[in-house]
Amino acid sequence: MSGPKSRKPLADSVAVHDQVYDAIRQALITGRIAPGVGVSLRSLAAELGVSPMPIRDAVRRLVAERALEINPANKRLSVPSLTAGRLEQLSMARLWVEPELAARAAPHADAALIKRLRELDAAVDEALKLGDVDAYMTANHDFHFALYQRAGAEVLLAMAGGLWLQIGPFMRVVFGRVGADGLVADRHAEAMEALKVQDAEGARRAIAADLSEGMDKMRAAVEAGR
Amino acid sequence: MSGPKSRKPLADSVAVHDQVYDAIRQALITGRIAPGVGVSLRSLAAELGVSPMPIRDAVRRLVAERALEINPANKRLSVPSLTAGRLEQLSMARLWVEPELAARAAPHADAALIKRLRELDAAVDEALKLGDVDAYMTANHDFHFALYQRAGAEVLLAMAGGLWLQIGPFMRVVFGRVGADGLVADRHAEAMEALKVQDAEGARRAIAADLSEGMDKMRAAVEAGR
DNA sequence: CTCCAAAAACTGTGATCACAGTTTGCGGGG
DNA sequence: CCCCGCAAACTGTGATCACAGTTTTTGGAG
């Protein structure tokens, strides 16, 4: 109304291939698509109700992020299988980059962040109580990345996102074998305490411990499952 | 010849989009495409003599690897600009993952690897002497990754590859400002000495020092150039 | 029932076209 | 000379089709 020039260059409309990317990514993170199974462009297209074209874009991106695999022999798509070696490398990488992000975010922690984290942690606990695996995975992911985003480290944040995407399928396997209540979220409280006083090293330690415990459980599950 | 069934399912023919990927990747690593400049699918297609379709696939991959950027406003493509923050994050990440790869590769070092590394290091020196920037970049890249590949750590290797891709444009800027002879390759010799006796920690230190020196020069160049 | 070969279905890849939004270039008025 | 406005060129996106290779299904012979 009163706007002299309603500068609205748009570019708002989210591209279809981005929506497709998010959909597949979510399915991968929550483990809805099991490791080892094959997928195809047209089947995904039919399932999501779009043409194969945006699927192609999204899949290309996911392959680059190693969240999907492409068989070099017949060029067919599949979700990467779980191996002990892969898990070990992913664990080590996460254990380096995520605590670093937490430490960098600590100085920028404010009341709004704490509040948001508390809500997400409550959602985590709620999902654990209900045994809702998908909800737990989503809430846990959102908790970590709401924190990491405050680090203002775009490159490291992208690395963490890629690692989480790759390790998502492992998590589902853990839940399938040991049950969701095998994981405790106490470290989240520890992290929030550190953030309240902007204690970077405390946040680093808390997140490192949180990851370490989770990864240990995954490793045990993978070793037991072979 | 005694093979009962010469199983040869093929799948050899390299896809066009992979060739395109390599071409653009090489152009970025060697810095032939300057940071900040815009590119377009059709212009790349015309330059490489293919249809826009495989370009699209390759670009999608490079965007996922953060080697190319896509302006969220007008969705146009460009090479990411150099910022001190980006360089700092990339340095820190490289300084963690690459020495780790060197240390993991050390136990698997054999005479063939040493020989190959010596050749590549000679190529590095040769390129430095001639002032051939492209040749130096290529040889230096090949030296590092010939070593890293022996680590047998696919996930970490891919991370290192992605980081190198992102930092490539920075290197070219350094050469443009301080000259190629500003960089010494002595650390390569130090690394090879450690590899001869399969000294993992020695290899780790040598590669860390090599990177550290290079990144310092880049940082100085970036700070001086603003 | 077993085994093998032909056919049908499905796979990723690449090309071409249409479309809407953005940028650029050019011309004319002030 | 400056600046505004319109048109042409260019941008990424999505759909559709064709093709070659692979897998799966099918059907018939032994």
Side-chain angles (χ1 to χ4, degrees), chain A residues 2-24:
Chain A
S2 56
K5 297 203 302 180
S6 168
R7 183 77 65 100
K8 191 150 159 302
L10 250 303
D12 47 351
S13 61
V14 187
V16 179
H17 67 82
D18 278 326
Q19 302 178 27
V20 170
Y21 171 81
D22 287 336
I24 303 181

Side-chain angles (χ1 to χ4, degrees), chain B residues 8 11 28 41 45 48 69 74 108-109 125 133 169 174 178:
Chain B
K8 189 151 161 301
L28 287 171
L41 300 183
L48 297 176
E69 215 173 34
N74 57 11
H108 306 115
D125 290 338
V133 179
V174 172
V178 309

Side-chain angles (χ1 to χ4, degrees), chain A residues 15-17 42 51-54 57 74 76:
Chain A
V16 179
H17 67 82
R42 288 172 177 85
S51 94
M53 203 60 234
D57 287 339
N74 57 10
R76 272 176 161 79

